[in-house]
Amino acid sequence: MANEKEVVIDVKNLSVGFHVRGKKTNVIRNISFPVYRGETLAIVGESGSGKSVTTKTFTGMLDSNGFISGGSIIFDGLDLAKFKTNDDWLQIRGKRIATIFQDPMTSLNPLLTIGYQISEVLILHHGLSKKEAKEEAIKLLAKVRIPNPEERYNDYPFQYSGGMRQRVVIAIALACRPEVLICDEPTTALDVTVQAQIIALIKELQEEYKWTTIFITHDLGVVANVADRIAVMYAGQIVEYGTVEDVFYHPEHPYTWALLASLPQLGTKDEPLSFIVGNPPSFAGEIIGDAFAPRNEYAMNIDFVMEPPIFKISETHWAKTWLLSPNAPKVKKPKVIEELHLRMKGAATELKRQEGEDYE
Amino acid sequence: MASYLIGYTIIGVLVIFVVFSVLVKKRILFGNTVSVQKIFGHPLLHYSLRRIGSSLISIALAIIVTFFLLRLAYPAQATCLKLFAGNHVSEDLFKLRCDTWKEEMGFSGSVLQQLGTFFYNILPLPKNICRTDIVIGNGTFSYEIYSCRAFVINFGTIYNLPGFPDGGFVIDYMLPRMMTSFKVGIIATVLELGLGYPFGILMARYQNGIFDKIGKTYIMTIDAIPGVAYYYIWMAILCGLFALPRVYDPNNFLTWLPIILTMGFTGMSGIGLWVRRYMVDEFNADYVKFARSKGLEEGRIMRIHILRNAVVPLVRTFPSAVIGALMGTYYLENIYNVDGIGRAIIVANSSYNSSLLVAVIIVSALLSVISYLLGDIVTAMVDPRISFTS
């Protein structure tokens, strides 16, 4: 199935480092994954796992002390990892790959009207006149369901709620008409009911505009709702990659198990909530073996000395864990993972019931 | 008479305007007339009126404190002695001059009466001030009224000040000197802003680059060296190295340059520091990153999204920079021998002219109130997030 799909961004052996106080740290460590056209790829993982840094390399938005230390990012025949100057990136940013950031409260310039901020993109990327841009911006505001868009065109961001601001940010992304839209935790700063609306809006617009979405989140509940494929990141590496069904129903990496087990929606009344013990490793020193080993209750001796290779599970699914080695002992997955189908069904029913109440 | 009429008419119009605006705002008058509400009920107007009202209370309190401090620091008799006792003046003449002076300066009557007179004189109500001078002729004394003048504010008279006639009005001393200071100060302010902004922008634009490092060193040097020493260093550079004239001459612009350049080069460091600081904050703002991710080119991001936002917090300081030029600067006016208002407070103190001292204090208090109010208004004009509705 995967082979039939067109790869829009092909990341190969990408490594990213940062200069911190005179030292080099390696925060993305040799990752490879494809992004398929028209699909939604969710990148999940804890804070600091490298999700945002990975996607920042697609638009040249790494902080000034960051650098790509190896690998390639092939997008439409261009190797984005080789881009150096702002002029190079002007061909990509916005018009071909756009980004929606986490916090809508700070993503918009507080001193410029909403209308201006949408129009400037339309004028820049599509050469519209001021008047045409205004008309188009009002249409876009209507599209993202801002009520009375003609009147609200001249409003300032502080006159909008968080959810409405994120809609405006989406309208700006729409104005760019990108091929790829990176959503960097677009719902994290919003309350739960608004989160659902924003996700529904992104999905709806994706169907209409046929763009490819890269959805960064640490919320697996959101992932189940939006993604076609999932890349699970830990300590600067992708530890498991597969379709939603692969990762949710047949997860193979102990970190994926732990992440799924931590979903509060899957908890039951009589069980304490599950969490991952310990902290992710520091990037200051060299990471030896499997970075997850110290927190992994299934860790074997080899995990502490040698980095696991990629083990292919199916055409669409792979994981980086020694547990998949033919020589590894067979382990029983945690109970919550075994019961994931049933618990997710239960959680979905509960969510639907709550949504019904919210909309009443 | 005409001046009374004009003065009280202006005051009457102002009072009517304020009362009318308040009634319109409270919708007692023209509650449903949009055009009238728009002008007289404007939030900015009412904010300004509230601010002016509360400032007047603060100024009145400051004046009361100043009045009592002055009565303590300059007791009438002692001050009289300092002003008139020299030059072998006979006791009778001294007493006469002293009594006249006390009358003029509002030292007669009880303390409360004196405070009342003090307020009456400085309240902006039209008043006709006639003053007497003592004419000595043939060993006898005679009084002669020789000048009456219409005043809005009467700050009193000055005695014993070299280069200024005894009994001359404070206002006549202050106004020309304020103008002198302003002429020099406003050019220096323009220079400060003209140099300070590009200085800060360049430092922020090339953060940690060579220009930024030189700039930071300059700012730190100015911070570290005491102001007076720094002024003398500039004087040595400008008047020594570049051979610019040291003594100020109002008719020769070349002599204005040392003080203007010293003020400009000093002031630019503070402006540069803040511009750089605000711009660096803006560089890291999320909306700047979002603007970049939209595909905007760096020049546009700099102009529209960074510079504009960085300037907003600094706009507040523009009015005070301009108005501040009216009050001059003590050290620099001394160094370059500029007969400006900056020296007035020291001159007043050393010559026991409390009237001049009060005038300088009140004028500078008023100017700072106006500066802050204008600062607020200008900030509100450039920052849409600020509203004046309560």
Side-chain angles (χ1 to χ4, degrees):
Chain A
M1 184 181 104
N3 294 336
E4 296 162 13
K5 294 253 181 188
E6 185 194 347
V7 173
V8 61
I9 298 179
D10 198 11
V11 179
K12 287 266 185 265
N13 307 110
L14 179 70
S15 291
V16 178
F18 281 89
H19 294 285
V20 181
R21 294 188 198 100
K23 284 185 181 169
K24 279 184 189 173
T25 56
N26 212 8
V27 299
I28 300 294
R29 302 180 299 134
N30 196 24
I31 61 172
S32 301
F33 64 96
V35 182
Y36 294 101
R37 191 175 290 281
E39 284 193 353
T40 298
L41 168 71
I43 304 180
V44 299
E46 284 166 279
S47 299
S49 58
K51 308 182 294 287
S52 297
V53 172
T54 303
T55 53
K56 277 179 181 172
T57 60
F58 300 173
T59 51
M61 298 279 291
L62 282 177
D63 288 342
S64 56
N65 61 338
F67 60 94
I68 294 175
S69 52
S72 62
I73 305 160
I74 304 299
F75 171 68
D76 196 19
L78 300 165
D79 184 358
L80 303 182
K82 299 271 185 297
F83 278 24
K84 293 279 179 244
T85 65
N86 266 318
D87 284 346
D88 292 339
W89 286 113
L90 287 181
Q91 306 309 313
I92 300 294
R93 277 184 202 147
K95 71 167 89 165
R96 301 196 70 184
I97 304 177
T99 311
I100 296 173
F101 291 105
Q102 187 180 110
D103 193 351
M105 306 307 273
T106 54
S107 287
L108 297 168
N109 188 327
L111 301 185
L112 298 173
T113 62
I114 297 293
Y116 182 93
Q117 298 188 56
I118 304 175
S119 294
E120 72 173 343
V121 175
L122 292 164
I123 294 167
L124 172 78
H125 291 317
H126 309 299
L128 301 188
S129 68
K130 267 190 180 172
K131 191 165 167 273
E132 290 166 337
K134 183 176 178 179
E135 283 167 12
E136 184 61 24
I138 289 170
K139 278 186 205 159
L140 289 171
L141 284 173
K143 191 130 229 158
V144 295
R145 305 217 185 86
I146 299 289
N148 307 322
E150 289 90 354
E151 289 165 33
R152 308 228 58 174
Y153 178 87
N154 289 320
D155 280 357
Y156 288 92
F158 75 93
Q159 292 164 297
Y160 279 45
S161 68
M164 284 172 77
R165 288 190 209 187
Q166 197 61 300
R167 285 169 191 275
V168 172
V169 171
I170 293 170
I172 291 173
L174 264 183
C176 295
R177 287 181 219 149
E179 291 161 56
V180 178
L181 178 68
I182 299 168
C183 301
D184 190 349
E185 306 205 29
T187 57
T188 306
L190 304 172
D191 69 54
V192 181
T193 48
V194 180
Q195 276 184 16
Q197 293 167 14
I198 295 293
I199 288 168
L201 180 69
I202 293 173
K203 273 170 75 173
E204 191 187 308
L205 293 171
Q206 185 182 13
E207 273 166 30
E208 189 180 336
Y209 287 86
K210 311 283 180 215
W211 62 49
T212 305
T213 309
I214 300 173
F215 208 101
I216 300 169
T217 180
H218 56 253
D219 185 346
L220 281 168
V222 170
V223 172
N225 208 351
V226 297
D228 296 301
R229 281 171 216 271
I230 301 175
V232 181
M233 279 196 87
Y234 186 77
Q237 290 192 326
I238 292 178
V239 294
E240 186 157 5
Y241 180 94
T243 64
V244 175
E245 290 77 19
D246 291 335
V247 176
F248 270 90
Y249 298 128
H250 310 287
E252 292 297 344
H253 196 286
Y255 179 65
T256 316
W257 298 344
L259 265 188
L260 287 168
S262 312
L263 266 174
Q265 296 94 317
L266 302 183
T268 55
K269 267 186 182 168
D270 306 322
E271 283 174 9
L273 284 173
S274 175
F275 62 93
I276 308 172
V277 192
N279 292 308
S282 157
F283 289 110
E286 196 190 344
I287 296 171
I288 296 164
D290 183 345
F292 188 55
R295 304 170 77 187
N296 180 7
E297 59 183 290
Y298 301 93
M300 300 174 287
N301 287 339
I302 191 167
D303 280 309
F304 292 93
V305 288
M306 192 182 281
E307 188 182 316
I310 285 172
F311 289 97
K312 197 169 171 182
I313 302 153
S314 72
E315 277 305 308
T316 56
H317 189 192
W318 54 260
K320 238 170 114 66
T321 169
W322 283 115
L323 287 179
L324 291 172
S325 160
N327 302 326
K330 292 291 159 234
V331 295
K332 197 168 158 43
K333 291 179 186 175
K335 190 179 161 208
V336 64
I337 301 299
E338 297 288 357
E339 293 172 359
L340 203 66
H341 294 75
L342 293 172
R343 294 206 186 190
M344 281 188 79
K345 237 181 217 173
T349 316
E350 176 64 13
L351 194 68
K352 272 189 186 146
R353 191 184 63 74
Q354 280 177 7
E355 275 182 0
E357 279 175 11
D358 284 334
Y359 285 113
E360 271 168 18
Chain B
M1 194 61 203
S3 58
Y4 270 73
L5 200 66
I6 294 166
Y8 278 107
T9 309
I10 292 171
I11 290 169
V13 169
L14 281 174
V15 171
I16 291 169
F17 174 77
V18 172
V19 172
F20 182 74
S21 303
V22 172
L23 293 176
V24 169
K25 172 80 175 163
K26 294 202 178 293
R27 295 184 183 270
I28 295 167
L29 292 176
F30 297 101
N32 299 317
T33 318
V34 179
S35 55
V36 178
Q37 281 290 337
K38 224 175 176 176
I39 300 167
F40 291 95
H42 198 283
L44 184 59
L45 172 68
H46 286 270
Y47 171 78
S48 306
L49 290 178
R50 276 200 307 274
R51 277 289 300 270
I52 292 168
S54 57
S55 307
L56 288 179
I57 295 171
S58 315
I59 290 174
L61 288 172
I63 288 172
I64 292 172
V65 172
T66 312
F67 170 81
F68 284 107
L69 283 176
L70 284 172
R71 286 298 182 271
L72 285 173
Y74 296 86
Q77 197 58 31
T79 311
C80 249
L81 276 168
K82 299 248 165 63
L83 285 173
F84 305 117
N87 303 327
H88 311 288
V89 177
S90 74
E91 203 160 302
D92 288 342
L93 180 57
F94 167 73
K95 192 174 176 313
L96 198 54
R97 293 192 81 172
C98 194
D99 289 344
T100 318
W101 175 81
K102 280 184 193 167
E103 188 69 32
E104 261 178 41
M105 303 302 287
F107 276 104
S108 47
S110 69
V111 174
L112 274 181
Q113 273 174 324
Q114 289 182 30
L115 183 63
T117 316
F118 190 79
F119 261 108
Y120 171 73
N121 275 321
I122 56 176
L123 276 179
L125 299 169
K127 46 189 90 76
N128 211 24
I129 303 294
C130 296
R131 55 176 308 280
T132 55
D133 196 23
I134 303 145
V135 178
I136 307 163
N138 297 330
T140 57
F141 312 125
S142 62
Y143 295 93
E144 193 173 315
I145 295 175
Y146 81 95
S147 60
C148 277
R149 254 177 68 185
F151 281 97
V152 177
I153 296 172
N154 173 29
F155 286 120
T157 48
I158 292 175
Y159 284 91
N160 222 14
L161 200 61
F164 195 72
D166 266 359
F169 288 107
V170 169
I171 214 101
D172 293 337
Y173 182 85
M174 282 183 76
L175 283 179
R177 283 164 181 81
M178 281 173 83
M179 277 303 107
T180 303
S181 291
F182 186 71
K183 272 188 234 162
V184 172
I186 196 69
I187 301 173
T189 302
V190 171
L191 186 70
E192 264 176 37
L193 297 172
L195 291 173
Y197 273 83
F199 178 55
I201 292 167
L202 283 172
M203 280 202 294
R205 182 78 185 83
Y206 304 104
Q207 200 187 343
N208 298 325
I210 185 78
F211 187 84
D212 190 28
K213 281 177 183 152
I214 295 170
K216 281 195 283 195
T217 311
Y218 179 70
I219 291 169
M220 273 192 290
T221 311
I222 291 201
D223 264 4
I225 300 176
V228 187
Y230 181 77
Y231 294 148
Y232 277 106
I233 293 172
W234 267 114
M235 189 201 72
I237 294 171
L238 295 167
C239 302
L241 208 61
F242 291 96
L244 285 170
R246 158 92 190 267
V247 178
Y248 170 85
D249 171 4
N251 301 317
N252 179 2
F253 184 73
L254 199 63
T255 64
W256 297 24
L257 283 181
I259 184 166
I260 288 171
L261 292 176
T262 309
M263 283 165 88
F265 289 140
T266 314
M268 72 177 254
S269 84
I271 294 170
L273 172 74
W274 286 103
V275 170
R276 179 190 182 276
R277 195 170 284 179
Y278 283 121
M279 281 191 69
V280 169
D281 280 353
E282 295 299 325
F283 277 134
N284 298 318
D286 284 353
Y287 53 82
V288 169
K289 289 178 187 159
F290 185 54
R292 194 166 285 130
S293 83
K294 289 196 289 196
L296 302 186
E297 51 154 354
E298 288 303 307
R300 187 180 170 84
I301 293 173
M302 183 61 91
R303 281 193 317 277
I304 309 283
H305 293 274
I306 295 178
L307 195 54
R308 209 184 117 110
N309 294 41
V311 166
V312 165
L314 293 163
V315 160
R316 175 180 297 276
T317 60
F318 284 5
S320 59
V322 174
I323 292 174
L326 274 169
M327 288 317 290
T329 148
Y330 171 69
Y331 286 119
L332 286 174
E333 288 181 6
N334 244 357
I335 293 170
Y336 295 107
N337 206 23
V338 180
D339 194 12
I341 198 70
R343 293 202 273 179
I345 203 156
I346 306 293
V347 166
N349 191 42
S350 57
S351 66
Y352 305 99
N353 276 294
S354 60
S355 49
L356 180 56
L357 199 61
V358 173
V360 173
I361 291 169
I362 291 173
V363 169
S364 64
L366 269 173
L367 291 180
S368 15
V369 166
I370 294 167
S371 305
Y372 281 119
L373 180 64
L374 289 180
D376 283 358
I377 292 171
V378 174
T379 308
M381 284 163 77
V382 294
D383 189 342
R385 289 167 295 183
I386 296 172
S387 89
F388 289 108
T389 46
S390 51

